[in-house]
Amino acid sequence: MDGAERLRSGPAAAVRDPRLFEEFYRRHVDAVMRFVARRVDDPHTAADLTAEIFLAVLDSAHSYRPRLGSETAWLYGIARNVVSSERRRMAREAERDLRFSGRRLLEADDIARIEDRLDAESPGRRALAALASLPEGEQAVMELIAVDQLTVTEAAAALGIRQVTARVRLHRARKALRDKADVKAPETEPAARQEKPTSPTGAGAPDPSLFHVARGGARA
């Protein structure tokens, strides 16, 4: 997300030149894979979605505006739409034959590499699960800022909302998380039942580490 990134050929130039597009892909594929790995836990799905995100770039390259944020932030906006679309598709379809029949077979090394990435991003998936109780708009802003490390400006651009709206949603989300984190177990509860919070991937309390992030400041 630094200034040097903007000096390179942007998305619009990349889609017109295969060489530039390959450079664009190599420049961002790791960041996009990390984004996806924070949201899915299957290597084949992660590989498919990463490919779909870069295909979507071909149709969306004209929408990139450097003044609104980095190429990475813009890609996260596209990635979020692709992942959301996939979730809706999976919810609608009981059978997955169509997906498997057209899928590119992954080599063993590919699967191992993606599984390593999925393992590395498991804290991010737990953090995202902890945000599931928030309203959709507040959850979206909090995801991009607290988990994906975008600035408020970049998150607003990725979601297509005003910066002031993003800040309001961020404030509300952090307040809700703080309130939830500050709820203490009753003093009368037996000591034997005073256990550590359940992982946010289950039915217990959200990951305390997320609340630490929620209390921090946001970059403009």
Side-chain angles (χ1 to χ4, degrees), residues 153-217:
T153 300
E154 291 173 334
L159 295 171
I161 60 178
R162 296 185 301 164
Q163 289 185 41
V164 65
T165 302
R167 290 186 182 280
V168 169
R169 291 180 182 178
L170 179 64
H171 173 76
R172 290 175 177 170
R174 284 178 166 161
K175 183 179 185 303
L177 291 174
R178 285 196 300 268
D179 291 345
K180 195 167 186 177
D182 290 340
V183 174
K184 298 180 180 179
E187 295 181 1
T188 56
E189 188 174 2
R193 297 179 61 187
Q194 300 285 341
E195 301 174 350
K196 294 194 301 182
T198 304
S199 167
T201 54
D207 188 342
S209 64
L210 183 62
F211 301 130
H212 177 73
V213 175
R215 289 185 172 94

Side-chain angles (χ1 to χ4, degrees), residues 2 4 8 36 51 58 73 107 118 120 122 137 151 177:
D2 56 19
R8 304 185 182 99
V36 172
L58 299 177
E107 300 291 341
L118 293 173
S122 60
T151 65
L177 291 174

